[in-house]
Amino acid sequence: MYKSLRSALISLSIISLFIVGCVNKSGELQNVSEVSASSAIENLAQTPPMGWNSWNPFGKNVNEQVIMETADAIVSSGLKDAGFTYIVIDDYWQGERDSASGILNYNSERFPSGIKALADYVHSKGLKFGIYSDAGTLTCGDQPASFGYEEKDARMFAEWGVDYLKYDYCYCPDYASQNNDYKMAIDRYKTMGDALKATGRPIVFSICEWGPRSPWLWGKEVGGHLWRTSYDVGDKWDEPRNESSQIGILTSIDVMMDLERFAGPGGWNDPDMLVIGLRNSGFIKGGGCNEIEYRTQMSMWCMLAAPLMMGCDVRNMDEVTKSILLNKDVIAIDQDPLGKQGFRVYRKDGIEAFKKPLSGNRVAIAFLNRNTKEDKITLAYKDLELNKDIKYSVYDVWKHSEVQQPAGTISAVMRSHECQVYVLSPEKK
Ligand code: GLA
């Protein structure tokens, strides 16, 4: 009798263990909400994050009205349904840091309702909310930053309901010093990465160190989900790598080459934000790009499994901008669950070809014309590192239709700076 009561009690406690808790790797009991929070943290950014950032269009002039109207426009334009979910306020949301409490205030003139209320508004639209800070003493826009206040700031961000933190690297100790620059960057990002994790809130951590300290080598280890590979991309087609001014779309693509092995579910190379639709307006300028060049940025960012952070004023998009940003066929390449970054397989006389393996044994192929005149190309499967024994059907993601191709080859005609993108699916026998 006693024995059976005891075994009943033991089974009851085992069952209740399953109901209210689990045992973690070190044998400690965790409750269900802790377990689901930690798996939500582990499952962040399984595909490249998509959203909008205030920097390119608004810079210093960002305010709560703009953010609320942007959230509305992202929903009403269909951008939310296309996958753009994170709305990120970049630099210039901050006020003073209180010297006694160490609390970082927000700018109450431009954000009179406060950041928490703004996050609530963004969440009420079914979107996610992001914010910006910097690992040094000041941000790149000379606002108070998080050096020495990482835990305090992370806790405050979590209390506000922040889902994404872009973390810059201006004004850091040992910046560009001969002997400690690299190690310092890893330390600073790890300190914030740990602080974010300690809040228990799933927060995407966007490392913005611009590439000089090879963040693709350590970004994931310090808790990052994406890391900038380049300096800021301006609204311009071609401008070489340069620390003191913006680079062009082409340079940003080139900087991503050979980094594909560092990207995958949970951690992505970030060639900076989209300039599509800016047309030399907004904050960052750069001279502007034409429609073909904007479309090429979208194509190549998707081929490279890049985070897609829009950077135009989505409240006032023209039809061309909409058609580029809302192209679900090209977005599907970016968001493919296999999570492979595409790579260059061919480069000659200004014409390049890229390949991105996709789920379901499919492959995306892109042809890019860097030249100033129209050009055409035909490449055999072997030049594209494709299996010549497979017969593929070819779908043009900008024409939104299947296209006929001569057997064993892929051809494309490209206007100057144009990029053609095809999805190849093995035909059923
Ligand atoms: C740096 C970043 C930009 C932007 C500004 C804000 O330049 O690279 O993306 O966040 O700072 O000051």
Side-chain angles (χ1 to χ4, degrees), residues 1-11:
M1 176 67 184
Y2 170 75
K3 222 173 165 187
S4 61
L5 183 66
R6 205 175 67 148
S7 62
L9 280 173
I10 291 172
S11 353

Side-chain angles (χ1 to χ4, degrees), residues 55 90-91 132 140-141 166 168 208 210 228 232 272-273:
W55 183 249
D90 207 279
D91 212 349
Y132 163 100
C140 297
K166 172 174 168 183
D168 223 335
C208 181
W210 324 292
R228 279 269 295 273
D232 296 11
D272 201 10
M273 297 173 282

Side-chain angles (χ1 to χ4, degrees), residues 45-212:
Q46 290 302 294
T47 57
M50 292 173 65
W52 175 92
N53 176 298
S54 62
W55 183 249
N56 288 354
F58 299 110
K60 285 182 177 176
N61 307 317
V62 65
N63 61 54
E64 68 180 32
Q65 191 66 23
V66 154
I67 299 294
M68 287 193 289
E69 288 173 9
T70 296
D72 295 347
I74 285 181
V75 175
S76 64
S77 60
L79 285 165
K80 178 187 162 203
D81 290 341
F84 293 94
T85 42
Y86 288 97
I87 299 208
V88 182
I89 315 183
D90 207 279
D91 212 349
Y92 293 106
W93 61 269
Q94 310 88 335
E96 298 290 312
R97 189 181 289 279
D98 185 87
S99 54
S101 66
I103 288 174
L104 178 55
N105 294 304
Y106 50 81
N107 180 312
S108 55
E109 266 166 42
R110 280 183 286 108
F111 295 90
S113 316
I115 304 292
K116 169 92 176 73
L118 194 50
D120 290 347
Y121 184 84
V122 169
H123 290 147
S124 77
K125 300 280 156 184
L127 297 166
K128 294 194 180 288
F129 181 74
I131 208 160
Y132 163 100
S133 192
D134 181 293
T137 48
L138 291 174
T139 70
C140 297
D142 292 335
Q143 304 298 297
S146 295
F147 181 78
Y149 295 96
E150 290 86 354
E151 283 170 21
K152 206 176 261 300
D153 289 356
R155 273 201 304 275
M156 186 174 72
F157 296 153
E159 279 161 23
W160 283 346
V162 164
D163 306 298
Y164 182 114
L165 174 67
K166 172 174 168 183
Y167 206 47
D168 223 335
Y169 204 65
C170 284
Y171 297 107
C172 254
D174 287 339
Y175 184 89
S177 79
Q178 290 290 330
N179 52 16
N180 203 36
D181 185 26
Y182 197 98
K183 185 173 171 300
M184 177 61 81
I186 297 174
D187 280 356
R188 295 331 308 157
Y189 280 102
K190 184 167 183 333
T191 305
M192 184 47 102
D194 289 349
L196 291 175
K197 271 192 209 131
T199 68
R201 185 175 173 85
I203 299 177
V204 169
F205 187 30
S206 160
I207 293 176
C208 181
E209 162 287 338
W210 324 292

Side-chain angles (χ1 to χ4, degrees), residues 46-48 260 263-265 268 305 334-341 356-357:
Q46 290 302 294
T47 57
E260 63 270 9
W268 308 97
D334 183 73
Q335 296 291 302
D336 186 80
L338 207 56
K340 295 274 186 206
Q341 176 176 323
K356 181 182 196 289

